[in-house]
Amino acid sequence: MSPRVGLDLPTVLRAASELADEQGLDRLSLGELAARLNVRTPSLYNHVEGLPALKRKLALYGLERLRDVMASAAVGKSGDAAVRAMSEAYVGFARMHPGVYEATFRATDPNDEELDRASYAVVQVVMRVLEAYGLGEERTLHMIRGLRSILHGFASIEQAGGFGLKLDTNVSFGLLLDTFLAGLRATSEGEA
C-alpha cells in the first residue's frame, strides 16, 4: 500500500501531539489518530511501525521542540535572566503540551542513541546557559541535575493537580527559581 498523498510523518506527529496533549499520552491510540487524520488505521503504518514507535517518534518530536523553546527563551540573555527565561520556557512547554512533555520522559529503549542525542541536546542548552557561572564541567552537570529536578518536579506536580492550595503557582515557581539562583550564585562565588 502506498502512502496517502499529503500524509507524511510531520503531519502524523502534529496530529498525534494534539491528541496526546488533549487526552493524555496513555489514551493515544492509532485508531483515534487515524480518525483525526481522516485515514484508515493501516495507512499510519506507512509512517510509523505501531503505537510504541509512534510514542518514540513523539518523544523525539517533543525533545526537539523543548530544546528549541528553551534555547529561544535564553537568546540574548545571560546569567540569572537566562536561567529564569529558560526555566519558565520549560514549565510553559509542559503546561501547553502535557502529553508531548510526558512522552519525552517515556523512552522505550535506554540504548536508543537517537533519543539519547535528543535528550543531550536539551542538556547542552542548559550547559551553555550555566557557563556564565564558571562552575567547571562536573559542578555544572550537578547543577543541571538539580535544575532538571526542580523543573520536572514542578511541572509534573502541577500537571497532576498536586498544588491544591489557592496560591498562584507562578509565584511559587518564581520563589523556587530565586532560591535555586541564589544557591547557584553562592556556588559560583565559592568556586572563584
Side-chain angles (χ1 to χ4, degrees):
M1 176 182 267
S2 62
R4 184 184 133 223
V5 175
L7 187 64
D8 56 14
L9 184 58
T11 302
V12 169
L13 287 175
R14 275 191 303 276
S17 71
E18 290 169 3
L19 279 170
D21 289 342
E22 290 167 12
Q23 53 194 33
L25 186 65
D26 288 334
R27 295 193 57 210
L28 179 64
S29 72
L30 293 178
E32 285 202 37
L33 179 58
R36 167 82 48 116
L37 292 166
N38 201 26
V39 298
R40 292 183 24 227
T41 303
S43 298
L44 295 175
Y45 286 91
N46 292 308
H47 306 285
V48 292
E49 297 175 3
L51 190 57
L54 174 63
K55 288 182 178 181
R56 178 189 173 276
K57 294 274 188 198
L58 199 56
L60 288 167
Y61 177 84
L63 286 166
E64 290 168 3
R65 265 120 208 101
L66 180 60
R67 178 205 62 218
D68 291 348
V69 163
M70 292 170 67
S72 293
V75 167
K77 298 172 184 71
S78 65
D80 290 3
V83 172
R84 187 175 301 284
M86 178 185 64
S87 298
E88 289 170 354
Y90 182 106
V91 170
F93 179 87
R95 287 172 175 167
M96 289 186 64
H97 303 288
V100 173
Y101 177 73
E102 186 179 350
T104 66
F105 281 91
R106 290 222 192 151
T108 54
D109 179 1
N111 299 314
D112 188 321
E113 291 180 14
E114 191 176 15
L115 273 172
D116 283 347
R117 280 192 303 275
S119 293
Y120 188 66
V122 175
V123 171
Q124 286 178 310
V125 170
V126 183
M127 286 178 82
R128 283 192 296 275
V129 167
L130 295 184
E131 283 175 356
Y133 296 91
L135 299 173
E137 184 178 352
E138 185 175 329
R139 182 75 51 116
T140 297
L141 291 173
H142 287 300
M143 290 299 180
I144 289 171
R145 282 182 175 171
L147 184 58
R148 180 183 183 202
S149 298
I150 289 167
L151 299 177
H152 177 64
F154 190 91
S156 297
I157 292 169
E158 187 174 61
Q159 270 187 348
F163 295 130
L165 297 176
K166 299 268 188 230
L167 292 171
D168 186 338
T169 56
N170 291 320
V171 173
S172 298
F173 185 64
L175 290 169
L176 185 58
L177 283 179
D178 289 345
T179 303
F180 175 79
L181 288 168
L184 186 59
R185 286 190 304 275
T187 301
S188 177
E189 290 164 6
E191 290 288 307

